[in-house]
Structures are given as structure tokens and as C-alpha cells.
Amino acid sequence: MNRVRIICLMTGFTCLTAGQALAQGFSPEEAVRRMTVADGFQVKLVAAEPLIRQPVTMTFDDRGRVWVIQYLQYPHPAGLKPVKVDQYLRTTYDRVPEPPPRGPKGADRITILSDPDANGRFRQAKDFVTGLNLATGLALGHGGAFVVQPPYLLFYPDRDGDDVPDGDPEVLLTGFGMEDSHAFANSLLWGPDGWLYGAQGSTVTANIRGIEFQQGIWRYHPLTKQFELFAEGGGNTWGLDFDQHGNVIAGTNFGGKTMLHQVQGGYYVKNFGKHGALHNPHAYGYFEHLPYRNFKGGHVTCGGIVYQGGLFPATFHHQYIAANLLSNAVYWHRIERDGSSFKGEFGGELLLANDTWFRPIDCLTGPDGAVYVVDWYDKRANHVDPIDNWDRSNGRIYKIEPRQPERPLPPVRFPLSRLSSRELVDLLDHPNDWYAREARRLLAERRDPAVLPILRRLVREERGRLALQALWALYVSGGFNDELAATLLQHANEDVRTWTVRLLGDARTVNPAIQAQLVALARTDPSPTVRSQLACTSKRLPARDGLPIVRELLRHDEDVNDPHIPLLLWWAIEDKAVSDPELVLGLLDSPAAWRAPLVRQHLVERLGRRYLAEGTEAGYRLCARLLAAAPGPTEVDLLLSGMEKALEGRRLPRVPAALEKHLAELWAKPSATPALVRLALRLGSDEAYARALELAADGRIAERERLGLIEVLGQVGKPDCVPVLLRLLEPTEREAVRRAALAALQPFADPRISERVLALYPKMSADLRSRAQTLLCSRPASAREFLRAVDAGRVAPKEVPLEQLRRLVLFKDDEIKRLIEKHWGRVGGQATGEKIARIRAIGVALSRGKGDPANGHLLFQKHCATCHTLFGEGNKVGPDLTSADRKNRDFLLTSIVDPSAVIRPEYGAFNVATKDGRLLTGLIAESSPQAITLLDAKNERTVLARDQIEVLEASPVSLMPDNILDPFDDQQLRDLFSYLMGDGPSSLSGAGSSKQR
């Protein structure tokens, strides 16, 4: 038996000889029979193997045919040699491939599917292009096909429409990241404005025309050839769509989240340990995913659409329908307005496959109003295992439609390209938005002046959806101008006003009359969506035009808690802060301006931080001017707090000359505030250092202020602060103060620390003892003292968790090694057989009785919530368990007993060796050019200046300990798992005793 055959038998896959394409799992017809859909719906198979295999995305052309990318080359590019692979599976290749047809030929292809019998099943296939090498995005228009094949955006011309490229592709863009095929650029889609939009995932780095980014939404204009990064950050996005207002809604792979509302110029959440900081180090904040209630399913939401097909019941109109490949399902999600943005809620199950091979990866609304679902179809979904055992024998496309539509859609004659421009305008009001989008695409190609008067009349006279559609069509047809814009800024429809502002800003310049109108609009417009776009647009305009708009927006007190507007205003100001400081400071020309809620709560602190972060004399002088202009002590403290944040983790050697006078004046006042003390301490003031020691020890001041001072002493204090910090460990102090003191003592190599901590150790709470261990085990000398205490019987060996011992062996110290082996044996990863035996033993225990989820809830709170969130409760050090595969007991059990077997890359820990001899472990919670913030398994944060770090490397071991279940008896195991696998706290009533066993 040959080696390939053996591998196939071991992995459970059927081996195929050349040319075979036999499906695994269920047949397409059986797969459909197993599916269940929402009430009133049905699912139909429209394409399957051998016609298509490994479909990754699809689109319809103007004839109603389907174009699909068969992603057969995945996961590795042909013809390239990997020379380096990191812990996130990011691969460095030996070279950048040339574009097709000169570059290496892969197995991917773009195939056109047609339905000659019009019976709803695609039975004919024709390849448009073959030999592609990891092609992930496709859009049709402008006489050809736009294709993303990283590192390129390509255009295959087919101007005669014979489904054969006219020649070699044109390279439109180069520089998309290609380190990880699970995060390639994807989801090409025409925007309402005629730009081609796309997404890029997380574990690749693009550098296009000098714009570098890891993840976000980008766009390219087919006529002007412009490229822009529309928004940076987000999840490992695969899928984006535009809602009825023209907002970008994108998918994600973040646990417990489903979508992002991506706005122009926005910055979004990233995994900073995995991807590094935002490319603007002065963003000082970012947007999160849409707030979401009642999450269900695995952590990957991909290929989502905002349903606008007109065929589904009204309940589904304008709601988000997306694939969840880890749950083998398609879900729908409610979207509701929340200020200038949205919030979401689980709507229901649109399709459940009841088949673990169902891997929906893309969704699309078709010309018939049905939702089409692209099914990768594979037993495997996890890409962490590098072995290429993907099943390339199959792939399907289904459509979901109502059994009895409430109303049929108006018929339309195909192909749409043969319709007159006037007939295309009529399609803008079609109840299925697919026709409006296709009509707009064709109008953008024609730019027919004959329809401009019609579109101008529609946008002026209509008030609803058609007015916005007409505006978009007018813009892409070349009929948008300042005269029309001046009228539309007063339009009754807020979406028309919003998009008029946006389209004006895309030119990055406005004439004085329009600028004056924008300022007036910022002053008076009642719509938060208009004000949000004004903030976005003001960033794109020159400071002299944009900042007067910002000034008016800052007066809208009602926006102080809006999910987007405050940060958008900061980003508009930050963009001009260094280039136009006089205009920026001019925004704060009165006490009333300083005290406006938006300014006080969101901008003053950030502005002080931004100017001090410059680290130049000019920046220090601007800080001094702000301090001099601040109208009161509250504003001064905000500036001081921001300036201190700019120095987080470090200290300047002396107070900058430009700040000496102002700090001295503040210092001379009767009582220096803690904010002033902290900043002066970071600026090198000896007087502030003495004052900080005094205040930290003063139990009469507010605990929050004391904790801030203790933290700063831990970061920049001198060895003589150790006695003060040690006194803060006394039992007479509050628990929070003692905890902060233990963290602050870490940087100091003083033998008195281990002596005093060990003396107090028996009287500490369990939480403090755990943190004391972290402190003592961070240096070889104190680690030896701690282990000697164990050896002398003053500390019980069972109190020391395995993760501490693993860290200690990294010191490679003979005495440490001897004492560990004496009391715990040889420390390393558990043997695989031992873990398997433990998993089986727990499995048997779980099968022998029923658990009490109420008691399991208490156990979760005590043992798990420090790191994990479940049903909105707990911390976020590790993955959110709500979105994990919790119903799969074997998966859950294996993940807990053997957490290092498969570590999701975004939760990989780092080992840090500092120049002063410490060893620390944790997740990177924040990252900037000057410092990183480590988050350990106890949810404790440690800020480290980068110049203090000697080694920063990924840990092969999970932050979660292997033996977390060891203290549990059999009944407690059953209780815990009954809660972990259950439906949440709402289901606990009457579940049994809540008393912890």
C-alpha cells in the first residue's frame, strides 16, 4: 500500500486518482434533504460538483448567470517556496510572484454557470480563466472582470462579451498581503459611488502605494485609478455589503460579535499582540464591533449581506443575513439604529444544515430575490493544522427562498446591458436592490448625458429611497456638481444630505460657498448620520475648510455619547494637530469651548497627549500654551492626564524647558493634584517623586488616585521607593492597594521584597498569594527564595500552579531546577497519553450523572471568569466562550484539559525578558511605538517601555493552565459542564441547588 493511500486511510479521506471528483460526506441531494430552514422557506440546490468544486465566492452578471471562483489552489500558492512561517501561520515566500500569465500557474479558475432550461439548476459551465493562483475576489464591470489575486488587483478585459479574455490582465494594484491565504483581500463589491470596494483580513500586511495596513476596507476607482484605505482594523473580515443607506457592513471572526459598521476614515479594533498597533499611533481609541445581544454560533461570521431582495417577508427586509461556517448554519440578525451607527441582535436560524461538512462562506442576493449560499463543503474548518488534507472533490451553491412569496417581483428583460439608459433609470426603484445596483453599474460605464436631467429631477423631487438611488446614479454618471450639491444639502432626506457631504469630501477640496454651507449644516442639522459624515469629511478637507466644520459639530452636546461621532471628531482634529496647530488651538478660544461636553470628555485629554507625544520643543510649547489657556482646574487635570499617557511606561530625564514655568506655577498652588504629580514624576521632577511617595502612602486620599500613583512608581520609580511599596502590603491596607503594590514591586531587584512578601504570604488572600507568586517568580533570586520557602514547608507545593513552574524552568538555574524536581518532579508539557487518559476519565465522570447548572455557574465565576466571558459575564483575557463550540462536549473537554494543543492565534501568549532580569508572560493587550501592555492570566496589566525589553517572543504554551479541572470532584465537573454547555443564566431557575459543593 503506497504512502498516499496510508495517509488517506489515517485521515478518513478517500484517495482520488487523477481526474476523479467524487464527493465526500453527503451527496448534494442528501445534504439538501437534511437541511432545515425557517418557517415559510425552502432551500434548493442550484449547483454542485463536478460542475464546481471549492467555491469561495460568486457574483451574477447582467444576464443572470453565475460567475464563481473555484479556490482549488488553497491553501498554498503554486510555484513559491516558503522560507519562514511564524506562530500565526504567516508565511514569508522566496519571492513575489509575477502576475498572470507570467507567474506560477495555480489550480484556481473562474467559471461561468448558466441555466439554459431556466429550471433553477445551473447545469452548464464554462471557464472564463484558469491557472489562477489563490484568487479570492471577483467583480464584473467596465467591460471585463476585476480579480483579486494577491499581491495583485487584476482586470481581465472582455469588451466583446464572448466570455473569453481579450488578452493578458492589466495590473491595477500591487502590494496586497499574501502571508496567509485565510486572510487574503476579498469580497469585491461595487459601492454606490462607483468605487470598487474590498476587504482584507488580519494576518497579512498590504503595502499599496505607500499605504500599509493589516486589515480593513479598501477601495479603488476604475476611472481615476485612485486607491484608498477606507477604514483600518476590524476582524478577519471576509464579506462586506452596503445597506439601504449606503453604509458598509462587514463580517468578522471575533467571538461573540457578528458585524462591523465601517465608516470612512475610521479605526477599528485589532488584536494588537498579533497584528501590532494601529498605523496611526495617535488614534487614541478605536471603534468596536456593533453591540450585539443574544449571540449564537461559532466565532466566524462571513459572506454577510443586508437583505434588500424584496422577496422575503418584511421581517427580513434590511436585516443582516450571514454564514456561520463553524455552526454549519446561516443566521439572520436584526439591525437597529443607535445614534449615527447601529446595534444588533440575533434574529434566528435561516438555515441549519444538520451536516458538519456544510461550510457556508459567502452569501448573495440573486436577481430572483432569493439568498444564494456558497458552500465550501469540507469535513475540516480549522486551518491551524498545516497538513494539506482539504477535500477538493466537492462544492455546492444553494438558494433560500420563500415557499409562497407575499408578492412576485416585477419581471425584467435580460440581458440588462441591452436596456436603454432610460430603462436602467427605471430599475433604480425596483423592489430587488440587485437590479438597482446592476443598473447603476451599467450607468457608470455609459456616463450617458441623456439621463442626467431625469436623475436630477428625481433626486430633487423624491423624498424616499428613490431620491438616494438617483443621487448615486447621477454621481456615477458624471452629473454631480456644486450647483446641485448646494440644493441637496437642504434635502428633506437625511441620507441624501449625508451622501452629498460625502461625495463633496471625496474631491478633498470645496469652494468657499459650499464650505460655508457645510459649516451651517454642521451647526443646524438634526441628523446624527449627517453630523457623523461631516466629521469624516472634515478630516479629508484642508484644515482651513475642515476645522470650522469641526467647531460647529463640537457644540452638539447630544452627540457626547454617540458611538462614532466623538472619535471621528478627534481623528479630524488629530489629522491637523501638527500641520496646523494654530487652527487647532483656535477651536479652544473661549471657556465655553473648553467646557462643551464633547470637548471636555473626549478631546482635551487627547490633545494634551498628542502634543506631548511629539517629543519635540514645538510639541512641548504647544502643551504649555494649552495649560496656559485652560480655563479651570478640571481642564488642567485633563491635559495633565493626557500628557502623562503620552509617557506611559517611561520617564524623561528632565522637565522640558518649555514646560518648566507652567509646571512650577501649578506646583506652587496649595495642593498639587495627583494628575500633576504623576506627570511631573514622568517628566523627571525630584520634587514630584517625593510627593508621589507621600501621597501613595496616604490612606486618606481616594483609592483610585492612590492606585494611579502606585502604578507610576512601579514604572518609573527609583529603588528608594521599595520601602514605601512594601508598607502598602500590610494587612491594614485595602486589598486593591496591596494588589497594586505587588505589581509595582516587580521592576525592583531588592532582596527585602522577597523577604517581606514571604513573611506576609500566610496572611494573604488566595488572590494576593497568587499575585505574590507571580512577583516572586519573575526573577531568579526571588524565585529561589520562594522555592526555599516551599522546601521549608512554609508554602504548600499544591498552591503553586503548573504555569508558574513552567516559567521558572526558563531561568535554567541549577538550584531552581533541583527544588522543582524535588517537590513536583520534572516539569514540562503533559505527555499526550496522560492528557488523553485524563480526557477519557473526565468524560466517564460526566456520563455518570446529571449536573446542576446553577452550581456550575458559581464554579464558572470562581475558576473561569477571571479570563473568559460567557453570556456577557467575565473577563476577556481568553476567548469568549459564548461563541465557542460549547455543545460539542468532546471539543470543550479537550480544549480545557489540553489548552496548548490548538491556541487560537489571537490568544497566543508572549514571553518577555527584560533588561533588568525579569521574565514575564501574558497577552499583548495594547501596543504603541513606545510601550506594550501585557495582560496575564489573572487579568493583571503590566506596562513595559520597549527600551526595557530584551526579548519578546511568542510562547508555545497557552496562558491557560493544563490542570484547571484537577481540584474538581466528579459532581463539580458535571455541574460546571452543564453550565458551560447550557443556554445561560436565564435557564437556571429551578435547575437545582445553587449552593456550591
Side-chain angles (χ1 to χ4, degrees):
M1 185 178 293
N2 64 40
R3 181 174 178 269
V4 174
R5 181 63 177 165
I6 294 171
I7 292 173
C8 290
L9 289 174
M10 290 173 63
T11 56
F13 288 88
T14 300
C15 290
L16 304 178
T17 60
Q20 284 182 299
L22 301 176
Q24 308 304 306
F26 299 107
S27 70
E29 292 73 20
E30 177 61 22
V32 171
R33 284 194 290 271
R34 296 179 63 85
M35 293 176 175
T36 54
V37 289
D39 289 345
F41 286 88
Q42 62 186 0
V43 58
K44 293 180 180 178
L45 178 73
V46 296
E49 69 277 354
L51 210 63
I52 56 167
R53 295 180 290 131
Q54 302 286 267
V56 71
T57 189
M58 61 175 279
T59 189
F60 285 91
D61 66 14
D62 73 293
R63 306 182 214 178
R65 302 179 304 173
V66 166
W67 293 52
V68 60
I69 293 180
Q70 299 188 63
Y71 201 37
L72 297 162
Q73 185 59 46
Y74 172 86
H76 306 299
L80 302 183
K81 179 181 178 182
V83 296
K84 180 183 176 183
V85 181
D86 72 7
Q87 72 272 21
Y88 302 121
L89 303 183
R90 290 183 292 217
T91 303
T92 302
Y93 294 101
D94 59 342
R95 61 193 171 94
V96 175
E98 289 190 87
R102 299 186 303 277
K105 288 182 169 51
D108 294 347
R109 56 187 58 206
I110 296 174
T111 303
I112 306 169
L113 304 179
S114 57
D115 176 17
D117 303 325
N119 63 3
R121 179 77 179 263
F122 294 97
R123 299 184 186 278
Q124 288 188 359
K126 177 183 179 180
D127 288 336
F128 175 71
V129 63
T130 61
L132 294 174
N133 199 6
L134 293 181
T136 47
L138 169 67
L140 306 176
H142 294 271
F146 294 81
V147 178
V148 168
Q149 178 183 292
Y152 304 108
L153 174 65
L154 306 169
F155 177 70
Y156 281 90
D158 180 22
R159 307 200 187 279
D160 57 6
D162 65 352
D163 300 333
V164 178
D166 298 339
D168 293 345
E170 178 186 354
V171 176
L172 304 177
L173 296 173
T174 183
F176 288 105
M178 56 181 303
E179 302 98 309
D180 183 357
S181 57
H182 315 104
F184 272 15
N186 63 87
S187 305
L188 295 186
L189 186 66
W190 291 109
D193 49 11
W195 289 69
L196 184 63
Y197 286 72
Q200 180 175 279
S202 55
T203 40
V204 295
T205 297
N207 194 318
I208 300 171
R209 299 178 183 174
I211 300 172
E212 184 176 289
F213 61 101
Q214 277 81 38
Q215 57 206 88
I217 305 299
W218 54 272
R219 64 180 188 165
Y220 171 83
H221 199 285
L223 301 181
T224 67
K225 312 298 184 185
Q226 290 175 277
F227 171 82
E228 289 185 358
L229 179 60
F230 183 78
E232 181 189 351
N236 189 19
T237 298
W238 199 287
L240 66 90
D241 196 14
F242 294 89
D243 71 0
Q244 68 273 26
H245 310 288
N247 295 298
V248 175
I249 306 296
T252 185
N253 70 330
F254 271 61
K257 309 295 182 182
T258 55
M259 66 193 101
L260 299 117
H261 172 202
Q262 300 265 20
V263 298
Q264 189 175 40
Y267 297 99
Y268 288 80
V269 61
K270 294 171 67 176
N271 183 290
F272 300 109
K274 182 178 180 182
H275 310 303
L278 291 162
H279 282 75
N280 179 1
H282 307 297
Y284 301 157
Y286 48 81
F287 294 145
E288 278 280 2
H289 293 74
L290 291 191
Y292 192 84
R293 299 186 298 272
N294 304 323
F295 183 89
K296 182 174 183 178
H299 68 272
V300 177
T301 299
C302 57
I305 58 170
V306 179
Y307 183 74
Q308 299 167 77
L311 189 69
F312 282 24
T315 304
F316 294 88
H317 290 184
H318 309 304
Q319 307 306 320
Y320 190 58
I321 296 174
N324 195 304
L325 62 91
L326 295 182
S327 296
N328 318 113
V330 176
Y331 297 134
W332 68 278
H333 313 269
R334 295 187 182 91
I335 304 176
E336 58 184 278
R337 186 82 168 263
D338 182 19
S340 68
S341 187
F342 307 95
K343 53 188 175 182
E345 180 180 22
F346 185 74
E349 298 158 340
L350 186 60
L351 184 153
L352 294 179
N354 305 306
D355 175 1
T356 58
W357 285 49
F358 177 66
R359 301 298 181 188
I361 196 168
D362 199 13
C363 298
L364 190 68
T365 305
D368 57 357
V371 171
Y372 287 73
V373 181
V374 173
D375 179 10
W376 177 263
Y377 207 72
D378 203 309
K379 179 180 180 180
R380 177 177 174 182
N382 191 323
H383 63 264
V384 175
D385 184 351
I387 296 175
D388 182 4
N389 55 12
W390 298 89
D391 180 1
R392 297 183 178 87
S393 69
N394 48 44
R396 292 91 189 262
I397 299 173
Y398 310 95
K399 74 172 178 178
I400 307 168
E401 61 184 7
R403 292 184 183 278
Q404 295 181 328
E406 295 178 0
R407 65 183 65 84
L409 294 175
V412 179
R413 186 173 76 253
F414 285 116
L416 300 187
S417 56
R418 293 184 183 173
L419 299 181
S420 69
S421 297
R422 182 66 182 85
E423 288 173 311
L424 292 177
V425 170
D426 291 339
L427 288 181
L428 297 176
D429 202 28
H430 196 282
N432 182 356
D433 194 56
W434 182 88
Y435 289 98
R437 296 183 185 205
E438 197 67 7
R440 197 165 56 240
R441 178 183 68 79
L442 291 166
L443 289 169
E445 296 172 11
R446 295 179 185 180
R447 295 177 73 83
D448 184 353
V451 298
L452 298 185
I454 303 169
L455 291 170
R456 289 195 183 102
R457 178 181 59 79
L458 287 174
V459 72
R460 285 189 174 114
E461 296 178 2
E462 294 291 333
R463 292 294 178 264
R465 170 178 176 265
L466 184 55
L468 183 60
Q469 291 284 346
L471 172 59
W472 289 336
L474 186 65
Y475 181 77
V476 300
S477 298
F480 182 83
N481 55 38
D482 286 352
E483 180 184 358
L484 178 67
T487 301
L488 298 186
L489 289 174
Q490 309 302 320
H491 201 282
N493 185 322
E494 66 176 349
D495 290 332
V496 171
R497 300 198 305 277
T498 297
W499 269 91
T500 301
V501 172
R502 176 161 158 183
L503 297 174
L504 286 167
D506 277 355
R508 295 187 179 270
T509 183
V510 290
N511 68 43
I514 289 291
Q515 193 269 346
Q517 272 196 278
L518 293 175
V519 171
L521 197 67
R523 183 183 308 121
T524 61
D525 201 287
S527 167
T529 62
V530 175
R531 297 196 297 271
S532 176
Q533 183 58 51
L534 282 163
C536 296
T537 294
S538 63
K539 178 183 175 182
R540 298 172 68 82
L541 297 176
R544 67 179 183 277
D545 295 330
L547 290 178
I549 298 170
V550 170
R551 176 190 291 274
E552 298 302 328
L553 293 173
L554 291 174
R555 293 172 175 164
H556 285 273
D557 298 352
E558 66 270 32
D559 291 336
V560 70
N561 294 317
D562 186 88
H564 280 174
I565 291 174
L567 270 177
L568 289 174
L569 287 170
W570 163 244
W571 293 329
I573 291 170
E574 190 279 325
D575 188 68
K576 324 295 183 192
V578 174
S579 62
D580 298 273
E582 296 302 323
L583 293 176
V584 168
L585 266 60
L587 296 172
L588 302 175
D589 57 0
S590 70
W594 280 84
R595 288 167 178 157
L598 272 167
V599 175
R600 178 179 276 185
Q601 292 187 37
H602 298 286
L603 301 180
V604 174
E605 182 180 280
R606 288 184 169 97
L607 201 55
R609 182 179 178 183
R610 177 65 185 90
Y611 283 132
L612 196 79
E614 275 296 283
T616 63
E617 286 303 314
Y620 298 142
R621 287 194 296 271
L622 289 166
C623 287
R625 288 179 59 183
L626 285 169
L627 288 170
T634 300
E635 292 74 30
V636 168
D637 267 7
L638 287 170
L639 287 170
L640 295 174
S641 295
M643 292 159 67
E644 187 214 346
K645 285 183 179 178
L647 296 173
E648 195 168 43
R650 59 198 179 101
R651 178 183 185 182
L652 297 183
R654 63 178 183 83
V655 178
L659 288 171
E660 281 182 328
K661 175 176 176 291
H662 293 281
L663 291 178
E665 290 175 354
L666 291 170
W667 200 262
K669 292 182 178 180
S671 60
T673 65
L676 174 60
V677 174
R678 293 195 305 269
L679 174 63
L681 177 56
R682 292 192 189 278
L683 290 174
S685 166
D686 292 333
E687 191 174 0
Y689 180 67
R691 182 65 173 150
L693 291 174
E694 178 184 331
L695 291 174
D698 189 349
R700 294 169 298 179
I701 70 170
E703 182 178 282
R704 179 172 172 272
E705 301 293 357
R706 290 183 77 193
L707 296 179
L709 289 165
I710 294 167
E711 180 183 13
V712 177
L713 288 171
Q715 291 178 20
V716 301
K718 294 177 284 190
D720 62 355
C721 76
V722 169
V724 174
L725 295 174
L726 287 176
R727 285 198 294 274
L728 298 180
L729 296 179
E730 295 298 328
T732 53
E733 292 285 359
R734 291 187 176 183
E735 185 94 349
V737 172
R738 301 175 78 191
R739 189 163 54 238
L742 284 169
L745 284 165
Q746 273 197 10
F748 303 105
D750 188 323
R752 291 175 294 180
I753 295 174
S754 55
E755 178 184 348
R756 189 60 187 150
V757 170
L758 286 169
L760 293 169
Y761 187 89
K763 298 180 181 179
M764 290 181 177
S765 66
D767 178 60
L768 287 179
R769 287 200 301 271
S770 176
R771 295 172 192 275
Q773 287 184 26
T774 298
L775 167 63
L776 294 169
C777 293
S778 64
R779 296 176 182 276
S782 55
R784 286 192 291 268
E785 291 298 322
F786 176 63
L787 292 176
R788 289 167 189 160
V790 173
D791 197 42
R794 301 199 304 274
V795 176
K798 67 180 181 181
E799 284 190 22
V800 186
L802 181 61
E803 66 265 27
Q804 292 286 17
L805 301 175
R806 282 178 172 162
R807 188 166 60 158
L808 288 173
V809 299
L810 296 177
F811 285 122
K812 296 181 171 57
D813 180 278
D814 289 342
E815 184 179 1
I816 289 174
K817 179 182 177 183
R818 178 180 61 80
L819 289 171
I820 288 175
E821 291 185 357
K822 177 179 178 181
H823 293 281
W824 294 276
R826 298 192 65 179
V827 172
Q830 262 186 303
T832 302
E834 186 179 344
K835 289 178 179 175
I836 292 173
R838 178 67 172 143
I839 290 168
R840 287 175 177 168
I842 295 176
V844 170
L846 295 177
S847 302
R848 286 180 172 167
K850 189 175 180 180
D852 174 4
N855 189 55
H857 182 203
L858 298 177
L859 291 166
F860 170 81
Q861 290 174 318
K862 180 177 180 181
H863 297 276
C864 311
T866 303
C867 292
H868 294 283
T869 298
L870 180 58
F871 308 124
E873 177 183 36
N875 292 307
K876 298 185 182 295
V877 180
D880 188 328
L881 300 181
T882 315
S883 57
D885 190 5
R886 293 180 296 106
K887 300 294 184 180
N888 183 338
R889 193 185 77 180
D890 291 341
F891 168 81
L892 195 61
L893 180 53
T894 301
S895 299
I896 296 173
V897 176
D898 192 6
S900 298
V902 176
I903 305 172
R904 275 180 54 189
E906 57 267 38
Y907 295 104
F910 285 80
N911 292 326
V912 180
T914 64
K915 293 177 181 177
D916 61 7
R918 286 177 288 161
L919 274 179
L920 306 172
T921 299
L923 306 177
I924 296 181
E926 295 179 26
S927 175
S928 73
Q930 290 79 34
I932 65 168
T933 301
L934 277 186
L935 186 67
D936 69 14
K938 303 171 187 65
N939 204 28
E940 189 80 22
R941 292 174 178 263
T942 301
V943 179
L944 293 169
R946 287 191 180 272
D947 59 11
Q948 296 175 13
I949 297 171
E950 186 170 294
V951 177
L952 173 64
E953 61 184 8
S955 171
V957 178
S958 171
L959 206 59
M960 179 175 169
D962 288 351
N963 55 355
I964 194 169
L965 296 179
D966 287 1
F968 291 39
D969 62 31
D970 287 359
Q971 185 57 50
Q972 288 176 319
L973 289 170
R974 290 190 284 270
D975 294 348
L976 177 64
F977 272 77
S978 67
Y979 179 69
L980 294 178
M981 298 174 67
D983 295 322
S986 61
S987 64
L988 299 183
S989 56
S993 171
S994 62
K995 183 179 179 182
Q996 185 169 319
R997 294 178 177 89

